[in-house]
Each structure stands twice: as C-alpha cells, then as structure tokens.
Amino acid sequence: EAQVTQNPRYLITVTGKKLTVTCSQNMNHEYMSWYRQDPGLGLRQIYYSMNVEVTDKGDVPEGYKVSRKEKRNFPLILESPSPNQTSLYFCASSLAGREQFFGPGTRLTVL
Amino acid sequence: EDQVTQSPEALRLQEGESSSLNCSYTVSGLRGLFWYRQDPGKGPEFLFTLYSAGEEKEKERLKATLTKKESFLHITAPKPEDSATYLCAVQAAYNFNKFYFGSGTKLNVKP
C-alpha cells in the first residue's frame, strides 16, 4: 500500500530535550515536506526537500532541522524544543510539483 | 505577500442542501491550486488540482472551479459523509516547492 508513515504519532516532552520525528514514504517520491498545523493558522511549511541531500526552508523553519540522506526518509529534528513548538506535525511527499500525500500526523506537546 | 483565505470558517448544511466554499488567494503568479479534504485525526487527502482560470474539475458531489483571484468548491446535494474540513493550497509559479495553505472550512452535514 502506498503510504507516508510518521513516528511517533503522539509525543509529550519537556523543554530542551532533543527529539526526532521520523517520516518515511514508499512511493519513490523526490519531494518531501514538513508542515505544522495550528488552530486558525492552517498548515505552514517548515522545510522541504527536492531530492536526496537537497533541502530548503519553508515559511517557519526556526527551531527545526531536517536531513535527507535517503530518498524515502525525511526526519524532522527539534534540537531544543520549546512550548511554542507544541503543534500537530504532518509530513508529505509527492512527485515534483504535484499533489502531496500526507502522513497521519504527529501530535507534539512540549511542557 | 502570498496569502490564502478560506471562507466561511465553518458551514452547517442539511443533507441535500447545496452550497459553495470559497478560497481567495494572492500570489505572485499561480502555478497550481489544490483542494484537500481532512478528516478529524487524519492527514489531508488530495481532491483536485486546478492550473488555469476557467478550469473545472468534478468528483462525485464536488466540483472545483478557478478564477484569477479565487477558487470555489461546490458541493451538490451533500451527504453526512461529506462532513470534513476542506483545505485549499496554492503553489507559486516562482517556486514550485512552496505551498501556502488556507486555514480551512469545516463542513458539517446533518442528516
């Protein structure tokens, strides 16, 4: 089954404790992206990757890092999480410039 | 500044009562406009892509249309299973990798 998977689905952590949210797709898509979704603000793009080793900032990259060492994986790293990063996070993948396929989401709470 | 505004924020319909959702946008050259459906606790699911003014796409009870400044998602004779949040996103012509989402319209269809 074609899909985007994210882990963990739910995470509660404390300020400053480094964490990684994994994202994997099995559709051989070149493009992958991370979004955060907050009430009233919609989905906002954090980072995106056009292919292996090629990444760029979206609209809200502060406090996040990404890497793309393999085509299928695109982890999101929060090196020192803060409460304002409490949000619902979505990973997505697509063929270049086409409609995106989204993962199920990761609900992150930073205390 | 690239921006997407969706209205109304929420819409309650009786089963069979047709209506339209609006997505207005400002972007420096539109490459594509995307509609997604999002069910509670899930990631967005792709519905349509529109590329040029005058274009229309249909799928079951849904029809999406596009003008130079806005898009409409028309819902004809909705059913309770059409209840969801509908998101619109624009893709800028100057950077195919960046997407700007509206905050969505939450549709509730009562039987």
Side-chain angles (χ1 to χ4, degrees):
Chain A
E1 181 192 352
Q3 61 183 348
V4 177
T5 57
Q6 295 179 226
N7 283 291
R9 294 289 315 280
Y10 303 91
L11 180 60
I12 300 175
T13 189
V14 295
T15 299
K17 186 176 181 182
K18 182 178 178 179
L19 67 92
T20 298
V21 184
T22 65
C23 173
S24 184
Q25 51 95 4
N26 63 1
M27 294 169 278
N28 201 35
H29 287 162
E30 304 93 351
Y31 180 90
M32 297 184 75
S33 186
W34 276 103
Y35 296 87
R36 60 178 290 173
Q37 187 174 40
D38 301 290
L41 295 178
L43 283 158
R44 292 180 292 166
Q45 197 170 27
I46 303 171
Y47 270 94
Y48 59 88
S49 169
M50 296 77 83
N51 216 322
V52 175
E53 302 290 3
V54 184
T55 63
D56 205 350
K57 296 177 181 179
D59 282 337
V60 288
E62 295 78 19
Y64 304 95
K65 282 178 60 175
V66 292
S67 68
R68 186 97 180 267
K69 293 183 169 55
E70 304 168 282
K71 196 171 185 179
R72 64 183 294 125
N73 295 324
F74 189 44
L76 179 70
I77 303 156
L78 286 73
E79 295 214 320
S80 184
S82 62
N84 64 13
Q85 293 178 297
T86 291
S87 187
L88 180 57
Y89 291 87
F90 288 101
C91 178
S93 75
S94 73
L95 295 173
R98 300 288 301 274
E99 70 276 8
Q100 294 174 82
F101 293 80
F102 284 82
T106 295
R107 187 167 292 281
L108 172 66
T109 302
V110 183
L111 301 174
Chain B
E1 181 182 328
D2 298 325
Q3 194 170 337
V4 179
T5 304
Q6 290 188 246
S7 62
E9 288 185 17
L11 181 62
R12 278 188 168 188
L13 298 174
Q14 286 297 128
E15 184 172 2
E17 180 187 2
S18 301
S19 188
S20 297
L21 282 53
N22 178 262
C23 171
S24 63
Y25 61 90
T26 55
V27 65
S28 304
L30 178 74
R31 199 261 178 172
L33 185 140
F34 299 78
W35 282 98
Y36 292 87
R37 169 190 172 128
Q38 186 175 22
D39 292 300
K42 295 191 173 182
E45 181 181 334
F46 171 72
L47 292 172
F48 303 110
T49 309
L50 301 165
Y51 290 106
S52 55
E55 190 175 359
E56 298 183 354
K57 294 266 179 80
E58 278 190 75
K59 180 180 178 180
E60 296 180 357
R61 295 175 293 282
L62 300 177
K63 182 167 96 171
T65 62
L66 180 64
T67 72
K68 287 189 177 178
K69 292 188 177 180
E70 57 191 349
S71 176
F72 292 93
L73 185 65
H74 306 279
I75 304 177
T76 302
K79 299 182 177 182
E81 54 261 42
D82 295 321
S83 297
T85 296
Y86 291 85
L87 304 174
C88 129
V90 298
Q91 180 185 35
Y94 61 84
N95 186 342
F96 287 12
N97 299 302
K98 296 197 79 171
F99 294 86
Y100 301 93
F101 279 79
S103 53
T105 293
K106 186 173 183 179
L107 174 65
N108 187 3
V109 182
K110 298 271 191 187

